Amino acid sequence: MKTQELLEKRAGIVANMRGMLDVADAADRDLNGDEQAKYEAMESDIASIDKRVKNAKTQEALESTLDGLRDTPAMPVIDNASNSKFGKKYGDAFYNVMRVGTSGVDHTVMNALQVGTNSEGGFITPESFETALITALQDISEIRQYADVIQTTSTNNIPVETTLGTATWTAEEGAYTESDAAFGRVQLEAHKLATITKVSEELLQDAFFNIETYLATNFGKRFGLAEEAAFVNGNGSGKPTGIVGGSSAGVTAAGATAITTDELIDLFHSLLRPYRANAVWMINDSTAKLIRKLKDGDNQYIWQPGLVAGQPDLLLGRPVVVCASMPAATTGNKSVIFGDLSNYTIADRTGLTMQRLNELYAANGQVGFRAFKRTDGKVTLADGIKHLVQA
């Protein structure tokens, strides 16, 4: 079934769910047994369709990098003329070397590349490539859409106010009471994330093959999956420190594998009100299944499916991010995160580096492409992100 057909089917199911609730509301009653079973079945159908739509869109994007460009010559992802950190000449030279290698270019091209030579032997990618890579990253990494993302060229120390200080009522001409704020700091390093992919020599020689778009999409998916796992649950050893580890205590669930409506409400209110305006829930799919079945005091589900495809589902009025890297609802795990994720800072060390590997896979008629980037992530304000931990 095509993506559009899936979306139309989803819209029809949501409309039927709304109609069922409207009928019950008009009669001032709860859903009866048969209606309840049908409603839950439709919820499961929506979850299944959402997953199929996401998979279909990912597959369509991957296929388009190869099949959708066969009738057009390979062109850069975007125009380098005004968007390359080293100018158009460098951008053109970079894409030339990625396609034909250093042995097939003249000294003028090599000289142009020297300005972007990395100390580890690769070339820093132009902005056009990084733009496409970030687009691919956003398809995978939900965290980047909510976190505070900064670009840096060195280790960053971010000041964090640990004690606010106080104001004191003071009599006319009375002495002012001193009360200083106290500051700490969060240090963001630069952990390396690296990958290698192989492309056949024949494919590189075909005019239809857009090497820039293919590599940007390929590397973007790989980096996105690895980043999301670290940004959510990383331990800080050679990788970022995740949101789960950096969040502050909100609620301890009574059950080892269960969560109640009241516990979610308690977690909601454990977050200070100023942070709730931009707060989101973050859970994995198995936890989402548990929570979807919870009801409030009026016997209404607290989980509200998004009425339009592409819009997030809501839990107690705030968006839900379903993330595979979140811990499951089992003993001792921090299974639910609720908070303003802009209090998690991602520091990207500027410059993705790429290198073409001509000899390593030559025996198999392939060319390797090595890429690496350096990044870090930490919670900068723990009070802005709370967690629920299982008993």
Side-chain angles (χ1 to χ4, degrees):
M1 189 176 293
K2 295 181 179 179
T3 303
Q4 186 58 39
E5 293 174 344
L6 288 170
L7 293 175
E8 291 173 356
K9 182 177 180 181
R10 185 189 192 282
I13 294 174
V14 171
N16 289 337
M17 293 171 70
R18 170 51 58 193
M20 189 176 294
L21 292 175
D22 288 344
V23 169
D25 288 342
D28 194 22
R29 62 175 176 81
D30 296 330
L31 297 177
N32 61 37
D34 288 342
E35 291 172 333
Q36 188 67 53
K38 290 178 182 179
Y39 190 91
E40 291 178 0
M42 287 189 285
E43 275 195 321
S44 297
D45 289 342
I46 286 179
S48 175
I49 290 173
D50 286 344
K51 186 175 292 186
R52 290 175 65 187
V53 168
K54 183 177 181 180
N55 291 340
K57 287 184 176 179
T58 299
Q59 184 63 28
E60 288 169 3
L62 291 173
E63 290 174 352
S64 69
T65 62
L66 296 177
D67 300 330
L69 298 170
R70 290 184 182 275
D71 298 328
T72 60
M75 296 293 289
V77 182
I78 62 172
D79 183 12
N80 289 318
S82 59
N83 290 292
S84 176
K85 58 172 70 76
F86 303 123
K88 178 174 172 56
K89 188 175 182 180
Y90 177 83
D92 292 340
F94 176 87
Y95 292 124
N96 195 358
V97 167
M98 287 301 105
R99 178 172 289 278
V100 303
T102 56
S103 61
V105 299
D106 58 30
H107 291 294
T108 302
V109 171
M110 293 306 298
N111 287 338
L113 283 172
Q114 292 306 308
V115 68
T117 301
N118 183 272
S119 61
E120 299 191 40
F123 300 111
I124 298 174
T125 58
E127 272 87 342
S128 58
F129 191 93
E130 290 187 33
T131 298
L133 182 79
I134 290 172
T135 299
L137 280 172
Q138 294 284 15
D139 288 343
I140 294 291
S141 181
E142 297 274 8
I143 307 306
R144 280 185 172 270
Q145 300 180 44
Y146 297 99
D148 178 24
V149 181
I150 62 174
Q151 299 290 326
T152 179
T153 57
S154 61
T155 298
N156 273 65
N157 289 308
I158 299 178
V160 178
E161 191 173 54
T162 56
T163 303
L164 178 62
T166 59
T168 305
W169 293 105
T170 305
E172 185 176 351
E173 298 183 359
Y176 284 74
T177 302
E178 294 183 4
S179 180
D180 294 331
F183 291 89
R185 67 177 185 175
V186 174
Q187 183 167 303
L188 292 165
E189 306 288 349
H191 303 295
K192 181 190 280 189
L193 186 60
T195 187
I196 291 178
T197 191
K198 296 174 286 186
V199 180
S200 71
E201 294 169 340
E202 292 82 2
L203 196 57
L204 284 174
Q205 293 170 2
D206 286 344
F208 81 87
F209 183 61
N210 190 316
I211 182 64
E212 310 91 273
T213 303
Y214 172 76
L215 291 177
T217 303
N218 189 295
F219 288 152
K221 301 298 182 186
R222 296 185 186 190
F223 285 147
L225 289 169
E227 279 188 358
E228 182 146 301
F231 292 156
V232 173
N233 214 19
N235 59 13
S237 178
K239 65 181 69 171
T241 302
I243 292 173
V244 173
S247 61
S248 59
V251 172
T252 298
T257 59
I259 300 170
T260 68
T261 298
D262 286 348
E263 287 167 349
L264 292 175
I265 293 173
D266 288 342
L267 180 61
F268 182 95
H269 287 280
S270 73
L271 188 69
L272 293 176
R273 191 162 52 86
Y275 301 123
R276 293 180 211 156
N278 296 313
V280 298
W281 301 89
M282 192 162 66
I283 52 178
N284 77 8
D285 193 57
S286 62
T287 308
K289 182 178 179 181
L290 291 174
I291 295 175
R292 290 177 72 99
K293 300 175 182 179
L294 299 178
K295 298 178 182 180
D296 60 19
D298 296 323
N299 206 35
Q300 300 296 315
Y301 287 104
I302 62 173
W303 185 292
Q304 300 169 298
L307 297 179
V308 179
Q311 288 186 353
D313 292 346
L314 300 179
L315 177 60
L316 300 178
R318 298 308 306 157
V320 180
V321 176
V322 177
C323 176
S325 299
M326 277 293 295
T330 56
T331 305
N333 279 356
K334 299 171 183 176
S335 60
V336 181
I337 290 291
F338 181 64
D340 181 349
L341 299 190
S342 67
N343 292 301
Y344 185 81
T345 299
I346 297 171
D348 289 329
R349 187 66 61 89
T350 51
L352 172 77
T353 299
M354 277 186 54
Q355 183 180 19
R356 177 181 162 124
L357 307 174
N358 296 311
E359 289 80 22
L360 188 58
Y361 307 106
N364 295 319
Q366 296 174 318
V367 174
F369 291 92
R370 165 182 171 266
F372 72 88
K373 60 181 296 190
R374 299 168 71 199
T375 190
D376 195 10
K378 282 187 174 74
V379 171
T380 49
L381 192 60
D383 284 345
I385 304 176
K386 297 287 186 175
H387 65 250
L388 176 147
V389 61
Q390 304 294 149

